[in-house]
Amino acid sequence: MDAKKLARQKFEGAWEVIRDELIAHFEAQGMPVDAKEWYKRNLDYNTPGGKLNRGMSVVDSVEILRGRSLSDEEYLKAAILGWCIELLQAFFLVSDDMMDQSPTRRGQPCWYKVEGVNNIAINDSFMLEGAIYHLLKVHFRKEKYYVNLLELFHEVTHFTEMGQLVDLITAPEDSVDLSKFSLAKHNFIVLYKTAYYSFYLPVALSMYMTHIPIPTDISYKPSTSAGVTEPYQLALNILLPLGEYFQIQDDFLDYSGTPEQIGKVGTDIVDNKCSWCINTALAVATPAQRKVLDENYGQKNTAKEERIKALYEEVGMRERYSAYEEGTYQKLTAMIESIPEVKVVPTKEDEPAVLVRKVFTTFLDKIYKRTK
């Protein structure tokens, strides 16, 4: 078994411990047997099963910052933070699937579509979120950064919900109005709905856990000032555009990739998604091309979908994406190289670590020119 599969297997093993702990807490409240079984099924159906990239990134980043393999105790603590992100993801997906009326998720029926669940999924999504704060209280309450963990999860959750709101009112599936679309709107949606919780959250958690000094006033906004050196601000400045790059890749692959390549059939065009591709086309379209976009985008019609794809080719979408990708890669590389090069010296669990480039190059190397 290769290293990646072994790492996933170990991370999934930690879930067994965490899940059982959550069930034990549930039992301790005197919950009846049928409620306990329902909760267990909710946890196992919705939390594991995805790519687990967000959660495993916490463990990877802690190891990079520590400069060594983690002890069993350290690993479990890092894995708990990672699974807290996966619980947050599960909370978002269960509720998002209901809002979008999606039929399937990860190759199986969405939770609300499972026989007997229906609108109980609303409460189940709340319980997935509540599990995060129980785990943080039990395992991190004695840590000096405990309040920072709470604040970070609350802030990132709030930001993600802001992004979801803007996405929902900008691009409802049953009402197409391209005048609401723009690259600026797309940027806002991507940063708030995806980049904060998928990219900044895992790294910030690993920075807290390795005792990188926390400023008294943490900014959750990227800084435009030159020469930023404060570690958390520097991380934010790099990770938000990295998250935007990742989502733009997803948008482009939805249009350009084959089902065999990306593991699904792209549906952004027929679903009226406010994607990078449609916003790029709108920004450069002639009046005649704009008419084609207005008449064909967001329609459940194969011929209209093909007309949009043909127009994307007309405006040079592939070349525009390639130029965007190269420019973004160079920009991110320069930002990463602004971090002082230091030799990673293995540190003890209670010693402060130092922010190093490898935390970010690990992310960037996984994303650059990905095709699925």
Side-chain angles (χ1 to χ4, degrees), residues 14-31 35-44 47-48 79-80 83-88 90 124 126-139:
W15 169 248
E16 300 294 322
V17 175
I18 293 164
R19 189 270 322 281
D20 290 349
E21 179 184 318
L22 290 169
I23 297 300
H25 171 67
F26 211 66
E27 289 179 326
Q29 310 314 305
M31 297 295 288
K36 183 193 77 171
E37 291 303 317
W38 185 285
Y39 183 47
K40 181 177 184 294
R41 188 180 177 205
N42 173 24
L43 288 168
D44 278 336
T47 312
I80 288 167
W83 279 110
C84 281
I85 300 180
E86 296 298 333
L87 283 162
L88 183 66
D124 288 337
F126 298 158
M127 296 194 71
L128 292 167
E129 184 192 25
I132 297 167
Y133 297 99
H134 171 73
L135 290 170
L136 293 180
K137 181 179 73 173
V138 170
H139 294 278

Side-chain angles (χ1 to χ4, degrees), residues 45-341:
Y45 194 93
N46 295 301
T47 312
K51 295 178 181 177
L52 305 182
N53 289 337
R54 296 170 182 84
M56 292 178 68
S57 292
V58 179
V59 176
D60 293 343
S61 297
V62 171
E63 287 188 335
I64 290 169
L65 292 170
R66 280 280 167 241
R68 56 173 172 77
S69 297
L70 304 180
S71 67
D72 290 345
E73 183 180 351
E74 286 176 297
Y75 181 89
L76 182 59
K77 290 185 74 171
I80 288 167
L81 292 177
W83 279 110
C84 281
I85 300 180
E86 296 298 333
L87 283 162
L88 183 66
Q89 164 85 338
F91 159 55
F92 289 148
L93 295 185
V94 169
S95 54
D96 188 63
D97 286 341
M98 294 190 74
M99 285 181 258
D100 291 345
Q101 289 294 289
S102 300
T104 60
R105 167 74 64 180
R106 297 170 178 168
Q108 61 185 2
C110 293
W111 179 239
Y112 80 99
K113 285 284 191 180
V114 172
E115 185 177 357
V117 178
N118 300 312
N119 286 340
I120 298 174
I122 298 171
N123 191 65
D124 288 337
S125 74
F126 298 158
M127 296 194 71
L128 292 167
E129 184 192 25
I132 297 167
Y133 297 99
H134 171 73
L135 290 170
L136 293 180
K137 181 179 73 173
V138 170
H139 294 278
F140 295 93
R141 193 173 186 179
K142 295 180 180 179
E143 301 290 349
K144 292 180 180 178
Y145 54 85
Y146 174 59
V147 171
N148 298 100
L149 293 177
L150 298 178
E151 180 187 88
L152 180 61
F153 269 100
H154 282 306
E155 287 285 355
V156 168
T157 301
H158 197 194
F159 286 161
T160 307
E161 292 160 351
M162 290 179 192
Q164 173 74 339
L165 172 62
V166 176
D167 192 18
L168 289 170
I169 64 177
T170 299
E173 194 171 334
D174 58 350
S175 177
V176 183
D177 182 359
L178 298 185
S179 67
K180 292 182 177 180
F181 286 24
S182 69
L183 284 167
K185 184 76 69 70
H186 178 265
N187 172 263
F188 181 91
I189 293 169
V190 168
L191 291 185
Y192 278 77
K193 187 177 176 179
T194 301
Y196 276 102
Y197 93 93
S198 297
F199 288 83
Y200 179 65
L201 179 58
V203 173
L205 291 174
S206 70
M207 293 169 69
Y208 289 159
M209 185 174 159
T210 56
H211 303 290
I212 290 179
I214 305 169
T216 54
D217 184 21
I218 294 181
S219 171
Y220 294 99
K221 287 291 198 180
S223 172
T224 56
S225 302
V228 171
T229 57
E230 196 285 307
Y232 291 87
Q233 187 66 63
L234 191 57
L236 189 77
N237 285 358
I238 294 170
L239 292 164
L240 291 190
L242 191 65
E244 182 184 23
Y245 170 33
F246 178 84
Q247 184 59 54
I248 288 174
Q249 276 183 324
D250 256 15
D251 291 354
F252 179 72
L253 289 170
D254 184 274
Y255 145 65
S256 66
T258 64
E260 295 75 23
Q261 179 186 355
I262 63 176
K264 63 179 180 177
V265 175
T267 60
D268 283 0
I269 293 172
V270 297
D271 288 345
N272 189 39
K273 294 296 185 181
C274 184
S275 83
W276 179 83
C277 296
I278 181 62
N279 284 295
T280 297
L282 288 168
V284 300
T286 65
Q289 289 172 328
R290 173 58 188 260
K291 188 170 186 293
V292 171
L293 294 171
D294 285 327
E295 292 176 351
N296 293 277
Y297 196 75
Q299 308 293 319
K300 306 294 187 184
N301 180 296
T302 301
K304 289 178 180 288
E305 180 185 18
E306 291 304 315
R307 184 66 190 93
I308 294 294
K309 288 183 176 181
L311 192 145
Y312 284 175
E313 296 296 331
E314 290 173 24
V315 300
M317 193 65 67
R318 295 173 191 273
E319 294 77 14
R320 292 178 186 278
Y321 173 75
S322 180
Y324 162 79
E325 181 170 51
E326 287 306 312
T328 300
Y329 180 78
Q330 296 302 326
K331 177 183 175 183
L332 288 168
T333 298
M335 293 173 73
I336 293 169
E337 289 177 350
S338 72
I339 300 171
E341 185 73 276

